[in-house]
Amino acid sequence: MNVKNHTIGILGSGWVAEKMAITLAGMKGYECLAIASRTQAHADDFATKHGIARSYGSYEELVKDDDVELVYIATPHALHYEHARLCIEHNKPILCEKAFTANAYEAEVLLNLAENRKVFITEAIWTRYMPLSLKIIELVRQGVIGHPYILTANLCYPVSEKERMQRPELAGGTLLDLGVYALNFAAMIYGDEIERIVSACTKTDTGMDDQESITQFFSNRRMAVLNSSMYPRSDRKGIISGDKGYIIVENINNPEVARVYDLDYRLTAEYPAPPQITGYEYQVIACFEAMKQGLLESPYMPHRETLRIMRIMDELRREWGVTFPNDKLAF
C-alpha cells in the first residue's frame, strides 16, 4: 500500500529555500513538490538542482496548485507580509521564515486574517521546534541549576556584505536576521514577564542596525544580556546561570549540545542534540502535526509569541531610529 507523502511548496529560491529543499529531500514521508521564483528560469534551475517536480515562474501559480499542502515562505523579511497574505487568500497553510514580518502591524494583520479564514500559519523560527531546545527548557524548569538569575547569548556572523542586511526596503539589519534568535532564546527560558529593556546599537551607512546590545530585565531578578553583529564570527554560546549551577548551550542558532555544571565548575551532565538533516525538519513535522489536529498555529510557536517578539523588535527599532518602508503604517 502506497502512503501519500506530505507535500510542500517553497516560495522563493534563495539560500534558505535551498536549505529547506535539502531538508525535505532527506525526510521520509515528505516531498518538496513545487518551487516558485520570480522568473521561470530561476525556478527551473532550482527544480533541476533539487529534483523538484513542479516549477513556477510566479508565486501566484504555486499557491493555486491544489496538490501543495503547505507553503514555506523563504523570501526576504520585507516581502513576508505580501506573500503570506497571498497564501491566506488562497487558503494555503503557511510556514513563514523568521522574522515573521517586517513589523508587528503586518504580523497582526496577517494573523487576524488567517484566523478569520481558518488558515494555518506559523513562524519558522527553527530553534523553537528543536528537541534540544525543549530539553534545555525542561532542565531549567526542573531546577537543575536552581533559580536562573542571568542569561547571556550572542549570535554574530560576518554577513555585512549580504544585500538583505544593508537595504531598508528588504527590512535589513542585524536584529531581524540574527538578534531575533537571541531574543527567542531568552524568551524560551524566561517567558514573557519583561519589566524593562535597555539597549544600544550602531548603524550602517544605510541606516540599518549592524551591532547591538540588548539587556532585558524580567520578574524575579532575572536578566538576559543579548548581543549580535553582522561583522565578526562569535562563539554563539548561550549561558544560563543559576544559584545552583549553570548551563552552557553551544550554538543558540542550532543547539548542538547543552552542558550542565555545578557550583564548583564541574560538568555534571551533557545533552547532545540528536542527529539531524539540517534542523529544519522539526518545524515541518510540527506543522503537519498541528494541521492534523485542526489547529491554526503550532504550539511550539504560538501566534501570541510571534506577535510579542515582533513588538519587542519594533520598540527596539523605534528607540534606535531604524526604520523600513514597510513601517509607514506601523510607526
Side-chain angles (χ1 to χ4, degrees), residues 61-267:
E61 290 177 276
L62 186 142
V63 300
K64 290 177 181 178
D65 188 330
D66 292 336
D67 295 327
V68 171
E69 296 175 273
L70 176 71
V71 175
Y72 172 63
I73 296 177
T75 50
H77 309 138
L79 302 176
H80 288 178
Y81 172 81
E82 173 190 342
H83 296 153
R85 183 160 192 140
L86 177 67
C87 292
I88 294 168
E89 289 171 348
H90 286 82
N91 299 310
K92 281 294 184 190
I94 304 153
L95 174 62
C96 183
E97 189 52 59
K98 65 82 200 164
F100 187 68
T101 49
N103 54 56
Y105 172 82
E106 291 183 342
E108 191 165 7
V109 171
L110 281 181
L111 295 177
N112 287 338
L113 181 62
E115 183 177 0
N116 290 337
R117 296 287 293 262
K118 304 302 180 189
V119 175
F120 175 88
I121 184 170
T122 200
E123 183 178 6
I125 177 82
W126 62 333
T127 50
R128 289 274 187 161
Y129 304 85
M130 292 178 176
L132 184 53
S133 294
L134 304 180
K135 182 62 180 180
I136 294 163
I137 295 168
E138 178 187 325
L139 291 170
V140 174
R141 289 178 178 171
Q142 287 175 344
V144 297
I145 59 169
H147 180 75
Y149 278 99
I150 191 162
L151 172 156
T152 60
N154 74 83
L155 191 63
C156 307
Y157 288 110
V159 291
S160 60
E161 78 287 352
K162 302 290 186 183
E163 188 179 32
R164 73 176 193 276
M165 303 297 291
Q166 296 288 342
R167 291 174 54 186
E169 62 271 29
L170 294 180
T174 297
L175 181 63
L176 269 64
D177 200 86
L178 303 176
V180 64
Y181 286 114
L183 288 171
N184 273 276
F185 183 77
M188 285 189 283
I189 303 304
Y190 282 160
D192 59 2
E193 296 178 351
I194 299 173
E195 296 179 343
R196 64 189 174 100
I197 301 176
V198 178
S199 71
C201 82
T202 57
K203 299 180 189 178
T204 66
D205 292 340
T206 59
M208 299 296 94
D209 56 296
D210 56 3
Q211 300 192 105
E212 55 231 13
S213 178
I214 302 165
T215 301
Q216 296 177 306
F217 297 87
F218 292 77
S219 61
N220 298 321
R221 295 186 179 276
R222 297 169 298 160
M223 187 166 72
V225 181
L226 316 172
N227 299 298
S228 54
S229 172
M230 64 170 71
Y231 299 121
R233 186 178 297 276
S234 70
D235 60 22
R236 305 176 297 182
K237 279 185 170 61
I239 304 175
I240 312 155
S241 301
D243 54 9
K244 292 182 181 178
Y246 58 97
I247 300 171
I248 297 179
V249 179
E250 298 291 346
N251 188 4
I252 65 164
N253 192 35
N254 182 3
E256 299 162 11
V257 62
R259 297 186 177 93
V260 182
Y261 295 82
D262 65 17
L263 293 178
D264 294 317
Y265 307 105
R266 293 177 302 205
L267 178 66

Side-chain angles (χ1 to χ4, degrees), residues 128 180 183-184 187 305-313:
R128 289 274 187 161
V180 64
L183 288 171
N184 273 276
E305 192 68 350
T306 285
L307 192 54
R308 189 179 71 84
I309 297 292
M310 289 305 311
R311 285 171 176 160
I312 290 171
M313 294 196 293

